[in-house]
Amino acid sequence: MGFERFGKVSFAPFTKVSKFVDFLDEGKIKGTVCSKCGTFHFPPRGDCVSCPSTEIEWKEISGNCELVTFTTIHAAPTGFEEDKPYTLAVVDLEEGGRALGWLDGLTEGDLSIGMAMKLEIKNLPGDKYIFVLKK
Amino acid sequence: MKIGVVGIGHGKFGRRNDVTVQELSFEPFSEAMEDAGINQSDIDATIIGSSPEYHKQRSLPGVVTEYIGMNPKPAFLTEAACASSSAALYSAYGFIKAGMFDVVAVIGVQKMMELSTPEILALMGRVGDVQWESNFGTTFPGYYALYARRHMHEYGTTEEQMAQVAVKNHHYGVKNPKARFQKEITLEKALGSAMVASPLKLYDCCANADGAACLIVANEEKTKKLSDTPVWLEGVGSATAPFSVLNRPSISTIPSAVDAAIQAYKMAGVEPKDIDLADVHDCFTIGEIMAYEDLGFCKRGEGGKFIEEKQSYHDGKIPVNVDGGLKSKGHPVGATGTSMAYEAVKQLRGDAGERQVAGAEVALTHNVGGIGQYCFVNIYKR
């Protein structure tokens, strides 16, 4: 279905929202909007958390976000051994919702909580994708 | 109808290469039966709390109930990650209250150190939401590190204050023969230890352990018959919070703990100031600091100050984790809930020896599951 291409390691290859990866192929990061009540979901969901409808539409996000918190992982789980240490950041998206990303070209010293950042798609070997955060 | 604790038992936590998981369960179970002055025929059901993914043995309740001699009474597992045995106790409470059982054995057990390093490393990455988070390489300490960084930003909490939690809990662990570690540490050692997930270092993190602990709970009538010094489970609270850190509005608090505590306080008819001692979930040092706030022991944001002022030591406002906490005991995931209950009961019986909080009448336990998605808060009174 394609969702296994999202992330460095994937544990969830099958999902209602596998179209997410098709949009990443187009260079777009999209969340879902409930057609019934208008709730925006990021990460995307095929089932509305508020009303519960299953009619959703896809909506592109700008990538503009604000830094919520971060950490640098030194003790890495399986599949991430070569990457350590890597810095994870949690960001609040302009449109609502939240995302996780790796720092790209930045270190902890460049960060201050509340700063504006940009969420972008990065290609990984093996035809995979991850999100990165830039200034 | 009140629910009371009639028997308690606690095995040694640590690397238990001397036993199977069922043998590990037998220790505290037989200790608890002896404590209560009963045997298997007096017990109506067994509820086991454990995180099954660590064991080679599938379906633990089967092998455990056979070995401890509890066939053919009903038995099953409850799972809520690190709060699995608190979930078991919560269930037992409900069953007894409903009159379905009179006496229930609650066993928290975990044998996690038989796994090889690769097996552990593989499990480590699946603690959070595997669809949206594990694919970025999140880890258990990583999540609490995200909370710590946010708490530091919002309230000025320092790495030193977090390390002070570790120093306290190691200090108290020395007095607990059942703890995995019985060694004091200095603040310098804690602060100088290797970074695991910034800002959390080695000594900010609890260690894995094997272990089991057991509680036998009963209805009011049986409790009064069996115990000269009954301890009553007067308040139980439980709540959940969004599993994904991407869906949790505030990450400098454990919202499930706030909600569970409100329920328990209300039910027991007490306020934070009435608590004489507490066992809280210090899987990571920041966890204890957030617990002080979530439980109302101090104002929101003043958790760092609380430990700095030594308010959670014996001569402070509310002694916390005087059995050494998860930090010294180790964290055999499924057993931690019943281990906390054991300490609460021992203290209220006046039987805690060197660790005794003088005149303890009301004790609280706070057991968080996973990265905050579950919490169970219990209040005991004598």
Side-chain angles (χ1 to χ4, degrees):
Chain A
M1 266 181 120
F3 196 80
E4 70 281 356
R5 292 171 53 217
F6 178 60
K8 170 109 202 242
V9 172
S10 173
F11 301 101
F14 310 115
T15 171
K16 271 184 173 182
V17 292
S18 56
K19 248 184 153 185
F20 182 73
V21 172
D22 299 334
F23 294 125
L24 294 182
D25 285 334
E26 294 172 22
K28 298 182 173 156
I29 305 175
K30 290 194 182 186
T32 52
V33 182
C34 173
S35 310
K36 258 211 173 127
C37 73
T39 302
F40 174 67
H41 300 100
F42 197 92
R45 288 174 54 118
D47 305 302
C48 180
V49 72
S50 304
C51 75
S53 154
T54 55
E55 285 164 39
I56 52 114
E57 285 153 11
W58 291 88
K59 175 179 162 179
E60 189 176 356
I61 61 158
S62 61
N64 295 333
C65 56
E66 188 183 292
L67 183 64
V68 175
T69 185
F70 58 92
T71 183
T72 301
I73 304 284
H74 290 257
T78 303
F80 294 87
E81 305 86 344
E82 294 162 8
D83 304 291
K84 63 182 185 190
Y86 49 93
T87 304
L88 293 172
V90 177
V91 291
D92 276 339
L93 300 174
E94 189 174 62
E95 294 84 354
R98 228 177 229 175
L100 202 51
W102 281 355
L103 281 197
D104 189 17
L106 298 170
T107 63
E108 279 197 8
D110 299 313
L111 302 180
S112 79
I113 290 178
M115 69 190 270
M117 300 196 86
K118 192 85 188 199
L119 186 76
E120 291 181 7
I121 304 169
K122 179 174 173 156
N123 287 75
L124 290 177
D127 204 20
K128 291 168 148 239
Y129 295 111
I130 199 132
F131 290 149
V132 291
L133 288 157
K134 300 200 167 150
K135 262 196 186 160
Chain B
M1 186 241 287
K2 297 207 287 190
I3 310 291
V5 182
V6 297
I8 57 172
H10 199 299
K12 170 83 173 161
F13 283 5
R15 190 178 287 276
R16 296 299 304 268
N17 289 347
D18 56 317
V19 287
T20 60
V21 67
Q22 57 268 45
E23 290 166 344
L24 187 64
S25 309
F26 189 87
E27 270 173 23
F29 175 71
S30 62
E31 191 186 323
M33 282 199 298
E34 205 182 334
D35 182 41
I38 60 175
N39 62 42
Q40 287 90 335
S41 59
D42 302 301
I43 304 171
D44 303 315
T46 314
I47 309 183
I48 291 164
S50 190
S51 222
E53 59 269 22
Y54 289 91
H55 305 101
K56 290 290 192 308
Q57 175 67 62
R58 288 185 61 175
S59 199
L60 282 185
V63 71
V64 171
T65 49
E66 177 188 350
Y67 194 77
I68 65 173
M70 278 303 295
N71 294 139
K73 309 278 177 62
F76 52 90
L77 184 96
T78 58
E79 190 274 330
C82 322
S84 290
S85 52
S86 288
L89 183 56
Y90 192 69
S91 309
Y93 184 96
F95 278 114
I96 298 174
K97 199 86 178 183
M100 198 154 152
F101 302 130
D102 293 343
V103 183
V104 178
V106 174
I107 305 178
V109 59
Q110 199 73 48
K111 199 154 201 299
M112 55 200 305
M113 302 191 79
E114 281 174 15
L115 293 182
S116 64
T117 304
E119 284 172 319
I120 292 185
L121 289 175
L123 274 180
M124 251 172 76
R126 307 210 309 264
V127 157
D129 183 329
V130 300
Q131 184 180 12
W132 295 108
E133 299 171 12
S134 299
N135 33 18
F136 286 83
T138 53
T139 61
F140 195 19
Y143 284 103
Y144 270 85
L146 292 171
Y147 307 159
R149 182 69 66 192
R150 185 73 200 183
H151 203 275
M152 290 164 79
H153 167 77
E154 287 183 34
Y155 306 117
T157 304
T158 63
E159 290 178 53
E160 196 168 295
Q161 286 165 339
M162 290 190 267
Q164 283 167 346
V165 172
V167 170
K168 170 175 75 74
N169 294 350
H170 273 274
H171 168 73
Y172 283 128
V174 171
K175 304 178 208 268
N176 186 352
K178 304 292 169 82
R180 182 175 174 193
F181 303 115
Q182 289 163 316
K183 201 166 175 211
E184 303 240 16
I185 59 164
T186 62
L187 192 65
E188 291 69 42
K189 183 162 189 170
L191 287 170
S193 59
M195 197 62 80
V196 172
S198 66
L200 300 181
K201 305 163 213 55
L202 188 66
Y203 281 95
D204 288 303
C205 308
C206 67
N208 289 336
D210 300 325
C214 175
L215 227 64
I216 301 178
V217 281
N219 62 25
E220 192 165 346
E221 189 194 320
K222 289 256 155 87
T223 300
K224 285 182 174 156
K225 239 189 246 172
L226 291 170
S227 187
D228 296 323
T229 52
V231 172
W232 304 103
L233 180 48
E234 297 248 8
V236 297
S238 181
T240 57
F243 183 37
S244 175
V245 73
L246 304 178
N247 291 321
R248 220 182 286 169
S250 169
I251 54 178
S252 55
T253 169
I254 303 285
S256 59
V258 175
D259 293 338
I262 289 171
Q263 293 169 31
Y265 284 131
K266 183 165 183 213
M267 194 171 156
V270 299
E271 291 172 2
K273 63 173 175 58
D274 302 317
I275 304 298
D276 294 317
L277 73 127
D279 243 53
V280 310
H281 204 82
D282 61 323
C283 47
F284 301 96
T285 49
I286 185 66
E288 182 164 324
I289 288 177
M290 290 195 289
Y292 301 149
E293 299 172 7
D294 291 338
L295 296 169
F297 294 168
C298 68
K299 285 202 200 114
R300 178 69 53 205
E302 295 194 354
K305 192 163 142 219
F306 198 80
I307 178 72
E308 198 170 73
E309 292 178 350
K310 295 186 144 55
Q311 299 288 9
S312 45
Y313 278 83
H314 269 80
D315 28 8
K317 254 180 161 180
I318 301 177
V320 175
N321 286 345
V322 301
D323 59 352
L326 276 63
K327 200 65 204 62
S328 264
K329 291 188 292 186
H331 182 34
V333 173
T336 285
T338 39
S339 173
M340 291 181 174
Y342 174 89
E343 183 67 10
V345 172
K346 226 148 155 79
Q347 289 277 352
L348 295 184
R349 283 179 179 177
D351 195 24
E354 282 189 280
R355 308 194 298 274
Q356 187 65 51
V357 172
E361 303 261 331
V362 186
L364 179 148
T365 62
H366 153 281
N367 189 197
V368 176
I371 51 177
Q373 67 267 32
Y374 321 97
C375 186
F376 295 82
V377 172
N378 292 336
I379 294 175
Y380 298 83
K381 286 188 192 176
R382 57 185 229 108

